[in-house]
Amino acid sequence: MEEEFDPQSSGSFFDFKGFLYRLLSYWWLFLICLAITFSIARYINVRKVPIYRETSLISIKDDQNQMFGGNTSLVFNWGGTTDKVQTSIIMLKSRTHAERVVQYLQFYTNYQRQGKYNIEDVYGYTPFTLKLNDSFPQLYGKRMTFIDEGNGNVRVKIPFTGGTAPLFNYSTLKPSSITAPNTDYDEVFQLGDTINTPFLKATLLPTDVYPQEGQEYFVSLGNFNGTAGRYRGIGVTQTPRGSSTLELSLVGTNKKRLIDYLNASVQVRTEEQLRQKNLFATKTIKYIDSSLKTSNVDLDKALEDLNKFQNKNSAVTLSGGAEQISIALQDLDNEKDGLSRQLVYYKQLEDYLRTRTDYTNVPAPSVSLIDEGSITAGVANIVQLALQRSNLAYTAKEGNPAFRDLDRRIDAEKEVLFENIKSSNRLIKAQISNLNRQIGQAQGKLKQFPKEEQELAEIQRRFTISQEAYNLYTEKRSEAEIIKASNVSDILFIDRAKDVGKGPIGPNTKLNKVLAGVFGMVIPIAFVLIIFFLDTKVGTPEDVKKRSSIPILGTIGKSKRSSGLVVRDYPRSAMAEAFRGLRSGLQFMYKKRGVEGAKTVLVTSSVSGEGKTFTSMNLASVFALSEKKTVLVGLDLRKPKIFDDFELENDKGVVNYLIGDATLDEVKQKSGINHLDVILSGPIPPNPSELIISDAMGEFIDTLKQEYDYIVFDTPPLGLVSDAFELMPYADASLYMVRQGYTRKDMLGLVNEKYQREEVTHISFVLNYFQQKRKYGYGYGYGYGTYNNGYHEDDAPTGILGRFKKLFTRRN
């Protein structure tokens, strides 16, 4: 049975079909790997802490509250809504803001308990909360156990072993330490009690969480900076982009922590923004309060002097002329007083700008009740630029070109403001000089009246000035109070963060399952691929066909029989039937070639252990069972084997005949099988190759052809010696044994090369030790099933690859 050699197939280095069948044969490995990877994925998934994402929605509105009129107000609103939105985004993500919120919520207090697989964060899920007194240092970094004992009682246990205990003041952010007790602290408190110890000062407040008697909670005070740093990752996005609506988002493992931080974050920012917005009103009120105090003293003194004068001089009144002069003096004094306040403010403003570097707290003109347009605009521009520089510090490092640009613009505004102040000072001083001259003229006219009227006019003048000043300050203070009270934050809650039952966004357990499936498939595929590429042994008929154009005559399976003569001992077995099929194939070849008379067949292989002797014995046996006179000739002169299975003595054989030491009748022996004789190799000679190529060998074979119908030659392996090549001219057909899982693929190269050069003809491959549709997944040849040989122990696969095969096919 011959098959055509496919050059395209022989040139392919990867047998996809063979790899696929090999892959399918390891189905059990896929099941094991999938079971392991899915078990690992489940182990990881059940231990992963759920991750949640909470959000809140706020709006930044443009709510200006003008203070003392449009030109005098310095409210925190320069740049319009766009600047407010950007400022809020920067501030909400800043470290300073995170510290304020952490301080406000005391988030450095950790609440935990032992879960099924790990320690769980149970903030917001405890029947108590610890309100620390931040004025005192607290026990730092030590785990405290709080046990719910029922009826509102909580046992507090803190382990101590002497030495020192670390403390941390969360108000001043300074560490310290104290001498620790030599024994553990153990005390029971009622909810609402105050814990007052040298290392912990706090109030144990109840919550709405239902208590669980006997439940242990672990409380510890952590690192302030580290805690604040974790919350700088808050997400702030404009929704939609470019709008004044901001979505705040936070991701974490504890829903209530996320919700509390988001809501407190907005609250803290709202209070801070409102404080900044009210800053100038607060300054105005503070300034007016100090001025009112002085004015009140002056008013009381003027009123006291007026009462005393009237008590002594009840009959004295101002005449018409004296009263007119007195009123004129009062108007001049009020005007002069206003100009004097401006001079004082300009002096304070100039000193501040020349001596300070932070201009966000520049004294506002409104504080001194000044509404000079150029001065108010200059101060507003400087404060605006200073605030921009302050906000830039949250996102850029010092040395950024933007800082230099802002500093240059601030300096330019300062120079303009200094010129305006200088100009205003000259003008005001000129006005005061003119007022002083008018006051002097009025006072000269008043001296023309009686002394008592002059004295009364002076007292009434001081009283009126003090009273008007007092009334002015009182009115301005009321205005400032109203403005401050009516001021609202520019930040408006749209949606507060709230637990609405949303599930976790992570961990991605589905991804872990997908990865488990991928790895569960990839690992076996990679393993089989490695085995496939490392396996240099012939595994399938396709391996032979891809590497040689020599046809495959048939296959011989594995046998579970202990005997090597399976055709003799088990003539009805499938193995015997395989050899009958091999016999039919040979007869077809003989007929095709037109061979008449005695027919010869040579059996060889690449190396020892591939089953050539086993095949020779059983092939000769199957010829003999067809009642054909057959002889089996052992021509492996170096390693004879036939005599063991036929239980014969190897004292005489081919060697004796070739050297003329014995006749043909003397060397041939009965095999115990009808019509089958055996000629053993005889003693091992020192020159086997010379005997093989001698003329005596040709005479020997010619003699055999005259006596026998079939002659079977058992020859040495081609991969070791060239004896078989020398004997092939005497053979009508040659069988080259290829053992599945044993013969190396590269061993076929030698015989294939000689066949292509036509140095070897009439040769066919026979696959031995063949497993059909099991380990290698192929059905081929005559389909006689799977068998086990066991002929020679050294036939077993060797090396690392052989041990792998033995390990993974032992179940077969």
Side-chain angles (χ1 to χ4, degrees):
M1 184 174 66
E2 295 188 6
E3 297 199 22
E4 300 244 347
F5 177 62
D6 183 2
Q8 236 179 1
S9 176
S10 68
S12 174
F13 291 100
F14 185 76
D15 180 8
F16 180 75
K17 184 179 178 183
F19 172 70
L20 182 61
Y21 281 135
R22 177 73 69 91
L23 202 61
L24 293 175
S25 69
Y26 282 97
W27 59 269
W28 52 273
L29 184 59
F30 280 86
L31 294 181
I32 292 174
C33 288
L34 286 172
I36 292 173
T37 54
F38 275 107
S39 297
I40 293 173
R42 184 181 181 279
Y43 178 86
I44 293 173
N45 285 343
V46 298
R47 283 161 175 78
K48 279 187 174 290
V49 180
I51 299 173
Y52 301 93
R53 181 179 184 271
E54 297 297 333
T55 61
S56 64
L57 204 61
I58 62 173
S59 174
I60 310 298
K61 53 191 177 63
D62 190 10
D63 185 14
Q64 294 193 55
N65 190 356
Q66 297 297 330
M67 184 175 177
F68 301 115
N71 294 329
T72 60
S73 177
L74 284 178
V75 290
F76 192 79
N77 189 43
W78 300 288
T81 304
T82 301
D83 185 73
K84 290 181 182 179
V85 171
Q86 295 304 318
T87 299
S88 294
I89 292 174
I90 293 171
M91 292 301 296
L92 287 168
K93 300 176 74 170
S94 68
R95 177 185 55 80
T96 301
H97 177 75
E99 290 176 352
R100 287 173 182 156
V101 180
V102 168
Q103 190 75 268
Y104 176 78
L105 293 172
Q106 295 190 347
F107 258 19
Y108 39 78
T109 306
N110 301 309
Y111 300 87
Q112 298 173 318
R113 80 176 166 205
Q114 180 63 54
K116 184 177 180 181
Y117 299 108
N118 44 36
I119 299 293
E120 300 173 347
D121 179 6
V122 290
Y123 169 87
Y125 299 94
T126 59
F128 64 88
T129 185
L130 207 61
K131 180 64 176 177
L132 298 176
N133 187 338
D134 281 344
S135 301
F136 297 92
Q138 309 287 352
L139 185 62
Y140 175 76
K142 199 170 190 67
R143 192 167 82 170
M144 301 173 282
T145 303
F146 285 62
I147 305 172
D148 187 350
E149 296 198 336
N151 299 322
N153 293 322
V154 177
R155 180 178 293 276
V156 180
K157 300 175 69 176
I158 307 174
F160 287 109
T161 56
T164 60
L167 302 179
F168 191 83
N169 190 315
Y170 288 95
S171 178
T172 62
L173 304 182
K174 292 183 179 180
S176 59
S177 62
I178 61 167
T179 302
N182 293 321
T183 58
D184 294 348
Y185 178 83
D186 191 337
E187 192 73 35
V188 177
F189 294 92
Q190 185 77 22
L191 291 177
D193 287 352
T194 297
I195 302 174
N196 189 9
T197 68
F199 43 82
L200 181 64
K201 296 182 184 296
T203 303
L204 202 62
L205 299 177
T207 66
D208 295 334
V209 177
Y210 191 78
Q212 301 179 43
E213 188 172 347
Q215 178 66 55
E216 289 188 352
Y217 300 94
F218 308 123
V219 180
S220 61
L221 305 181
N223 183 275
F224 178 85
N225 292 324
T227 303
R230 287 195 296 272
Y231 287 98
R232 291 191 65 185
I234 185 173
V236 185
T237 56
Q238 291 175 270
T239 308
R241 188 173 181 180
S243 71
S244 60
T245 303
L246 300 181
E247 182 187 66
L248 278 62
S249 62
L250 203 58
V251 175
T253 58
N254 186 298
K255 270 188 173 184
K256 294 195 174 181
R257 273 192 186 274
L258 303 179
I259 291 170
D260 285 355
Y261 185 88
L262 288 173
N263 291 332
S265 185
V266 176
Q267 182 177 343
V268 168
R269 178 61 194 141
T270 299
E271 292 175 355
E272 177 63 19
Q273 196 269 343
L274 186 58
R275 185 191 67 80
Q276 291 178 334
K277 195 171 186 180
N278 287 331
L279 179 63
F280 302 103
T282 303
K283 283 185 175 182
T284 300
I285 293 171
K286 184 177 180 181
Y287 173 80
I288 292 175
D289 283 342
S290 63
S291 300
L292 271 174
K293 186 175 181 181
T294 303
S295 181
N296 193 43
V297 172
D298 294 340
L299 181 61
D300 288 344
K301 182 68 170 62
L303 181 60
E304 182 182 356
D305 292 343
L306 181 60
N307 289 332
K308 287 182 179 179
F309 180 84
Q310 289 178 344
N311 288 334
K312 292 181 179 179
N313 306 284
S314 57
V316 178
T317 59
L318 292 178
S319 60
E323 187 175 1
Q324 290 179 359
I325 294 172
S326 179
I327 293 173
L329 281 171
Q330 292 173 14
D331 293 337
L332 293 172
D333 285 335
N334 287 334
E335 188 176 353
K336 179 182 176 182
D337 186 60
L339 294 172
S340 299
R341 283 200 305 272
Q342 290 188 45
L343 287 176
V344 172
Y345 169 74
Y346 293 153
K347 180 67 168 62
Q348 293 175 345
L349 177 61
E350 186 173 3
D351 290 344
Y352 186 96
L353 293 175
R354 293 189 184 281
T355 59
R356 306 289 183 90
T357 56
D358 178 14
Y359 305 118
T360 55
N361 290 318
V362 172
S366 59
V367 171
S368 298
L369 309 179
I370 295 170
D371 57 0
E372 177 65 34
S374 61
I375 302 299
T376 300
V379 171
N381 290 338
I382 289 175
V383 175
Q384 177 187 5
L385 294 171
L387 287 171
Q388 289 181 15
R389 195 186 194 286
S390 178
N391 292 334
L392 183 64
Y394 289 106
T395 57
K397 294 183 177 179
E398 196 68 38
N400 190 297
F403 286 114
R404 292 195 295 271
D405 180 63
L406 287 172
D407 290 339
R408 179 185 57 77
R409 293 168 62 187
I410 289 173
D411 290 340
E413 289 290 345
K414 283 169 55 178
E415 291 302 322
V416 172
L417 193 55
F418 289 149
E419 289 297 324
N420 289 334
I421 290 174
K422 187 176 180 181
S423 176
S424 296
N425 280 336
R426 286 198 302 267
L427 180 60
I428 291 172
K429 288 178 180 179
Q431 291 176 338
I432 290 177
S433 298
N434 184 46
L435 289 174
N436 286 333
R437 187 174 60 257
Q438 295 180 41
I439 291 171
Q441 293 173 354
Q443 287 177 337
K445 293 179 181 179
L446 189 61
K447 289 180 179 180
Q448 298 175 3
F449 293 91
K451 185 177 179 181
E452 290 79 1
E453 286 189 39
Q454 293 180 36
E455 187 177 352
L456 178 59
E458 179 63 25
I459 294 174
Q460 286 182 341
R461 172 187 165 195
R462 288 192 292 109
F463 176 78
T464 302
I465 292 173
S466 299
Q467 189 175 41
E468 287 185 356
Y470 182 83
N471 292 339
L472 176 63
Y473 287 130
T474 303
E475 179 185 352
K476 294 300 182 180
R477 191 184 192 285
S478 298
E479 290 177 3
E481 287 284 5
I482 292 171
I483 292 171
K484 183 178 179 181
S486 62
N487 264 344
V488 293
S489 174
D490 295 329
I491 300 173
L492 175 67
F493 252 126
I494 298 177
D495 280 332
R496 298 178 68 88
K498 183 180 180 181
D499 186 1
V500 293
K502 290 189 298 184
I505 62 171
N508 193 345
T509 55
K510 291 183 180 179
L511 177 61
N512 289 340
K513 292 177 182 177
V514 170
L515 291 176
V518 170
F519 280 106
M521 298 294 289
V522 168
I523 292 173
I525 291 174
F527 175 79
V528 174
L529 193 62
I530 292 171
I531 293 295
F532 187 77
F533 279 113
L534 292 180
D535 189 359
T536 59
K537 309 297 177 60
V538 173
T540 67
E542 297 297 327
D543 290 339
V544 178
K545 290 166 63 178
K546 287 164 66 70
R547 287 164 176 79
S548 177
S549 58
I550 298 174
I552 298 175
L553 184 64
T555 60
I556 300 172
K558 297 172 64 176
S559 174
K560 297 180 181 179
R561 316 299 182 183
S562 59
S563 172
L565 294 168
V566 293
V567 173
R568 182 195 70 178
D569 298 336
Y570 307 97
R572 296 181 180 276
S573 67
M575 181 68 76
E577 191 63 28
F579 281 103
R580 291 187 184 96
L582 194 59
R583 178 187 64 189
S584 299
L586 284 169
Q587 289 173 344
F588 177 78
M589 290 178 62
Y590 294 144
K591 184 177 181 180
K592 185 176 180 181
R593 289 187 57 204
V595 179
E596 301 291 341
K599 302 173 181 63
T600 57
V601 57
L602 180 147
V603 183
T604 187
S605 65
S606 299
V607 293
S608 177
E610 292 174 316
K612 60 178 181 54
T613 300
F614 172 75
T615 302
S616 300
M617 293 189 303
N618 285 282
L619 185 61
S621 298
V622 81
F623 279 130
L625 290 176
S626 63
E627 298 184 353
K628 299 293 182 180
K629 195 171 183 183
T630 307
V631 62
L632 173 62
V633 183
L635 292 178
D636 189 350
L637 305 184
R638 293 174 173 81
K639 191 178 180 182
K641 295 180 180 179
I642 297 175
F643 60 90
D644 279 341
D645 291 277
F646 286 102
E647 298 178 353
L648 301 174
E649 295 295 332
N650 191 31
D651 51 352
K652 284 188 178 183
V654 175
V655 173
N656 300 91
Y657 180 89
L658 294 178
I659 63 175
D661 188 39
T663 64
L664 181 62
D665 291 334
E666 290 176 337
V667 297
K668 66 181 180 181
Q669 303 182 55
K670 295 296 181 181
S671 65
I673 301 174
N674 293 334
H675 309 293
L676 176 61
D677 291 337
V678 177
I679 300 178
L680 302 175
S681 62
I684 299 175
N687 56 343
S689 296
E690 286 74 8
L691 292 177
I692 293 292
I693 64 176
S694 67
D695 294 337
M697 177 59 71
E699 296 172 2
F700 173 66
I701 294 174
D702 289 339
T703 305
L704 293 178
K705 285 184 177 181
Q706 294 174 8
E707 185 174 346
Y708 295 97
D709 297 318
Y710 288 97
I711 305 168
V712 180
F713 299 135
D714 177 36
T715 64
L718 284 176
L720 302 178
V721 293
S722 62
D723 295 357
F725 283 124
E726 303 296 341
L727 291 169
M728 282 184 181
Y730 299 111
D732 298 318
S734 299
L735 301 181
Y736 193 97
M737 302 304 299
V738 177
R739 178 174 169 178
Q740 187 181 45
Y742 187 85
T743 303
R744 293 209 316 265
K745 297 171 185 176
D746 58 359
M747 289 181 177
L748 305 180
L750 176 63
V751 66
N752 187 52
E753 182 181 349
K754 290 184 176 294
Y755 180 79
Q756 289 179 351
R757 293 204 301 254
E758 298 184 351
E759 296 177 13
V760 173
T761 57
H762 317 307
I763 189 169
S764 301
F765 286 127
V766 176
L767 297 184
N768 185 29
Y769 212 75
F770 183 72
Q771 304 175 78
Q772 181 186 8
K773 292 185 180 178
R774 197 168 183 179
K775 178 179 178 185
Y776 293 97
Y778 278 85
Y780 185 81
Y782 302 99
Y784 296 107
T786 57
Y787 316 99
N788 182 32
N789 189 348
Y791 181 66
H792 299 302
E793 280 191 276
D794 62 354
D795 288 351
T798 59
I800 295 176
L801 184 59
R803 285 195 287 274
F804 266 119
K805 290 182 177 178
K806 185 176 180 182
L807 175 64
F808 291 111
T809 59
R810 185 177 295 168
R811 55 183 175 73
N812 294 332

